[in-house]
Amino acid sequence: GQNIDQPTEMTATEGAIVQINCTYQTSGFNGLFWYQQHAGEAPTFLSYNVLDGLEEKGRFSSFLSRSKGYSYLLLKELQMKDSASYLCAVYLYGQNFVFGPGTRLSVLP
Amino acid sequence: DSGVTQTPKHLITATGQRVTLRCSPRSGDLSVYWYQQSLDQGLQFLIQYYNGEERAKGNILERFSAQQFPDLHSELNLSSLELGDSALYFCASSVETSGAYNEQFFGPGTRLTVL
């Protein structure tokens, strides 16, 4: 079967840096992406990693290690508006998608 | 605003009934994806269509079916509804050319409540 794990909840302070981890065990791997979802809203795309290494995009960076089945999303200079759920998802061969349970991040003043 | 539209926004119906959810992708996007998000199961991929043809299938029940029309809008049909089908149903679209992954843009969702 397919399994993706993320911490359920995290809390951080405004201006700080937070790292949200994601581990996966899937049959087939075609890439990993991260989405942000505010409560009651649609997910919005943050990043997509297909090769090992770090992808940086402004305040957000995403890292992938395929050999370890591991990814993380790094958020710098946290803002109150970053309070949201962060979804890790694996893109499988056959163009299927499996999402993790999501990590609810609370940013405190 | 992602450019993806979904109707209706809310739908309340009874067990055993059938409903149809509609999605219009962003202009120029050929691929449409359907997702179900419930409190206990998170976001689940249901099915993908590309230019009118089924491309990938996820955890979609046999009671559910979808299609994509020549104008590229898509409909998700849910029949013999059960209480457990209550969820937020998202549609997403992407350009999806040459089998390469492209960023998906999500619509605002349809909240289905089955009583």
Side-chain angles (χ1 to χ4, degrees):
Chain A
Q2 323 289 0
N3 189 50
I4 301 179
D5 285 320
Q6 301 179 238
T8 305
E9 291 189 26
M10 298 183 72
T11 303
T13 305
E14 197 174 12
I17 299 173
V18 70
Q19 178 175 311
I20 302 175
N21 295 325
C22 170
T23 57
Y24 61 91
Q25 299 95 38
T26 59
S27 52
F29 178 87
N30 215 11
L32 185 143
F33 52 89
W34 286 91
Y35 278 87
Q36 179 191 60
Q37 186 177 25
H38 286 98
E41 298 183 9
T44 55
F45 174 86
L46 290 177
S47 68
Y48 177 60
N49 294 68
V50 62
L51 299 175
D52 289 353
L54 188 68
E55 296 273 347
E56 297 187 74
K57 193 188 281 189
R59 294 189 299 114
F60 292 14
S61 303
S62 57
F63 172 84
L64 175 67
S65 169
R66 288 172 298 170
S67 61
K68 295 182 180 177
Y70 169 69
S71 173
Y72 68 73
L73 180 70
L74 194 70
L75 292 76
K76 303 175 188 173
E77 300 169 15
L78 278 173
Q79 302 175 9
M80 299 297 290
K81 67 178 182 180
D82 297 329
S83 293
S85 288
Y86 291 85
L87 310 177
C88 163
V90 172
Y91 181 40
L92 303 172
Y93 293 127
Q95 300 178 58
N96 204 332
F97 300 86
V98 179
F99 280 78
T103 298
R104 189 179 308 161
L105 174 66
S106 298
V107 180
L108 305 177
Chain B
D1 185 353
S2 66
V4 178
T5 60
Q6 289 187 247
T7 55
K9 280 191 174 179
H10 301 277
L11 196 50
I12 301 175
T13 188
T15 54
Q17 295 298 306
R18 173 189 170 94
V19 297
T20 297
L21 313 183
R22 183 188 169 102
C23 168
S24 292
R26 293 187 322 155
S27 177
D29 284 359
L30 300 178
S31 205
V32 168
Y33 310 77
W34 285 98
Y35 294 88
Q36 178 192 59
Q37 188 171 39
S38 57
L39 283 175
D40 59 342
Q41 292 206 335
L43 196 63
Q44 303 251 334
F45 167 69
L46 296 178
I47 197 164
Q48 178 201 359
Y49 278 82
Y50 173 71
N51 204 20
E53 294 191 3
E54 183 183 303
R55 192 78 173 266
K57 218 172 209 182
N59 298 322
I60 188 165
L61 300 172
E62 286 190 14
R63 300 184 285 109
F64 296 1
S65 65
Q67 52 184 326
Q68 186 178 28
F69 295 87
D71 67 351
L72 300 177
H73 91 271
S74 178
E75 292 181 356
L76 179 67
N77 300 295
L78 315 175
S79 62
S80 302
L81 284 168
E82 302 175 359
L83 295 178
D85 297 328
S86 295
L88 198 51
Y89 290 84
F90 287 108
C91 165
S93 75
S94 70
V95 173
E96 189 72 12
T97 57
S98 305
Y101 172 77
N102 285 275
E103 177 180 346
Q104 293 183 36
F105 295 85
F106 280 74
T110 293
R111 182 168 295 282
L112 173 66
T113 302
V114 182
L115 301 175

